[in-house]
Amino acid sequence: MTHTYQLVTKSIQSSSSWQQKYREIMLLGKTLPPLADILKTDDALVPGCESKVWMFVEFDLTENVLVVIGDSDTRIVKGLLALILALYNGLTPEEVLAVNAYDEFEKLGLISHLSASRGNGVKAMVETIQTMAKQKAL
């Protein structure tokens, strides 16, 4: 888990109600820079997401760490994407494979409040990242 993830989740952890957590997630989504329209291609769409999620997953070969950028057409999903990016960006392939996003989202109290389709979307985003990590792991 990255230091960035620990920082961005503090406000979610301290929220006392689901409505406050939901608001914090949407605010987090606003911090993601919008993806240029030219990058919003069908190839970049994450399969399995009901909302449109465009994601690019690469590894910085010099540092051997994950670099992910992405965007979504809905505010809450963009916030969930921002959480996922904060969780995985900057980790090595081996570190990525050791992180369980489901457990992290459970600790934040999010899993029980996500609809089935949003939960599937989160799973699809994480699987996309995990697949790239498996390909790059030594």
Side-chain angles (χ1 to χ4, degrees), residues 48-100:
C49 291
E50 192 172 293
S51 300
K52 289 187 177 185
V53 176
W54 300 272
M55 195 163 57
F56 292 89
V57 182
E58 294 294 331
F59 277 90
D60 177 328
L61 297 177
T62 343
E63 301 291 326
N64 192 38
V65 295
L66 178 73
V67 178
V68 185
I69 60 169
D71 203 351
S72 178
D73 63 346
T74 62
R75 291 184 300 173
I76 189 66
V77 174
K78 189 169 182 168
L80 294 169
L81 175 61
L83 276 175
I84 291 169
L85 297 186
L87 184 61
Y88 288 110
N89 262 328
L91 298 181
T92 66
E94 293 77 16
E95 290 169 332
V96 167
L97 295 173
V99 171
N100 185 324

Side-chain angles (χ1 to χ4, degrees), residues 2-127:
T2 68
H3 180 66
T4 304
Y5 180 77
Q6 292 171 342
L7 289 175
V8 301
T9 57
K10 280 187 180 187
S11 60
I12 296 170
Q13 289 172 328
S14 63
S15 297
S16 58
S17 69
W18 168 242
Q19 290 80 12
Q20 287 177 316
K21 288 179 191 272
Y22 192 86
R23 184 178 185 289
E24 291 298 327
I25 293 167
M26 287 195 300
L27 288 172
L28 183 59
K30 287 183 176 186
T31 67
L32 277 185
L35 209 55
D37 286 340
I38 196 162
L39 295 175
K40 293 179 180 178
T41 64
D42 288 346
D43 289 343
L45 283 171
V46 176
C49 291
E50 192 172 293
S51 300
K52 289 187 177 185
V53 176
W54 300 272
M55 195 163 57
F56 292 89
V57 182
E58 294 294 331
F59 277 90
D60 177 328
L61 297 177
T62 343
E63 301 291 326
N64 192 38
V65 295
L66 178 73
V67 178
V68 185
I69 60 169
D71 203 351
S72 178
D73 63 346
T74 62
R75 291 184 300 173
I76 189 66
V77 174
K78 189 169 182 168
L80 294 169
L81 175 61
L83 276 175
I84 291 169
L85 297 186
L87 184 61
Y88 288 110
N89 262 328
L91 298 181
T92 66
E94 293 77 16
E95 290 169 332
V96 167
L97 295 173
V99 171
N100 185 324
Y102 182 87
D103 287 348
E104 294 305 320
F105 276 43
E106 184 67 40
K107 288 177 194 172
L108 293 174
L110 302 181
I111 296 299
S112 62
H113 293 286
L114 293 178
S115 65
S117 64
R118 287 213 176 103
N120 288 337
V122 165
K123 183 179 178 191
M125 288 183 265
V126 170
E127 283 177 354

